[in-house]
Amino acid sequence: MGEATPAPEALRPLVVRTRTELRTALATAPRPIGLVPTMGALHEGHASLIRRARAESATVVATIFVNPRQFNETADFEEYARDEAADLTTAREAGADIVFIPTVEEVYPAGSQTTVRVGALTEALEGAARPGHFEGVTTVVAILLCLAGAERAYFGQKDAQQLLVVRRMALDLGIATEIVACPIVREPDGLAMSSRNVRLTPEQRAAAPVLRASLLAARAAYEAGERDGEALRTAIRGVLAAEPLAAPEYVSCADPATLRELARVDGPALLSLAVRFGSIRLIDNDPLP
Ligand code: AMP
């Protein structure tokens, strides 16, 4: 018996850790390339992005990088879940061809002194609650988009403001990659999947679907004819107030293009919120109509 030839499946995904390895792998990769940037701790939400990229691309690149520059709380960065072996299995099963797992030094070369900052869009909501967060996001996403030179990059609607900010950045900087929005993937009880969910205590986990429930209460009010922005925000706050473990950070009913709070909802709107359960901070959103 001769040696078994490994099936191509067994070689996937190709793991690359340096800029040079990524460039080399992509130089001969069939196009179009689809890029899925993540911070790892991959779950079904990430997998849905990779599957979408798989369906639309000849080469799928996922990136795993827990970006220190976008964390405004040291504990959140240090406690962020990391499991490379599990992530590679998830990435392979979802269809990734290449997984880029760089070190901090590889992403930010020694002496790095460039940041990318988007304006007013980053000042509301997550930007107001997490100083410096979006500068970290836009800087790393700009670097990843430049390194990959992908035709498309896939982002989750779960981070609705991030999606808007990344789109704005790509347009402003003339980055040719098309930014593709993908729907929020939820647990059966409605909780939006998040790498932070695993850090909730069982009691907090049981309470966490209140984010979705509060958004649905506002949606129900909207569908019953409510068009007053503050009344919709109050509907969300009312449901959250009934859950003692939930500490709301912000509740918003905003223009989905500018993220300015709306007095009246005469067109599309974005309902969004951030809620703390102990030290864990969760976000969710729902676009109206
Ligand atoms: P993260 O690893 O949290 O930085 O997320 C990487 C990408 O996955 C971002 O574009 C997120 O919006 C997206 N994502 C995270 N959670 C979900 C989810 N539950 N549904 C859809 N996309 C998600």
Side-chain angles (χ1 to χ4, degrees), residues 35-38 45 48-50 52-53 63 137 140-142 144-145 152-160 162-167 169-170 177-184:
L35 178 72
V36 182
T38 81
S48 74
L49 269 53
I50 297 173
R52 173 82 179 269
T63 72
V137 169
V140 79
V141 172
L144 294 172
L145 291 175
R152 296 187 199 83
Y154 297 81
F155 291 85
Q157 185 66 40
K158 155 100 188 320
D159 298 277
Q162 169 173 285
L163 191 53
L164 278 181
V165 168
V166 166
R167 278 228 165 95
M169 175 191 76
T177 307
E178 180 193 344
I179 306 301
V180 181
C182 302
I184 302 177

Side-chain angles (χ1 to χ4, degrees), residues 135-222:
E135 269 192 30
V137 169
T138 46
T139 301
V140 79
V141 172
I143 292 168
L144 294 172
L145 291 175
C146 287
L147 289 174
E151 275 75 8
R152 296 187 199 83
Y154 297 81
F155 291 85
Q157 185 66 40
K158 155 100 188 320
D159 298 277
Q161 186 176 14
Q162 169 173 285
L163 191 53
L164 278 181
V165 168
V166 166
R167 278 228 165 95
R168 182 76 251 172
M169 175 191 76
L171 181 63
D172 290 351
L173 294 182
I175 295 173
T177 307
E178 180 193 344
I179 306 301
V180 181
C182 302
I184 302 177
V185 177
R186 299 179 178 282
E187 300 286 356
D189 63 9
L191 177 63
M193 289 194 181
S194 163
S195 305
R196 293 183 174 90
N197 292 351
V198 295
R199 284 155 56 197
L200 297 167
T201 65
E203 295 74 23
Q204 291 167 340
R205 174 64 189 80
V210 74
L211 273 81
R212 175 70 172 152
S214 71
L215 291 169
L216 289 177
R219 171 173 284 281
Y222 174 84

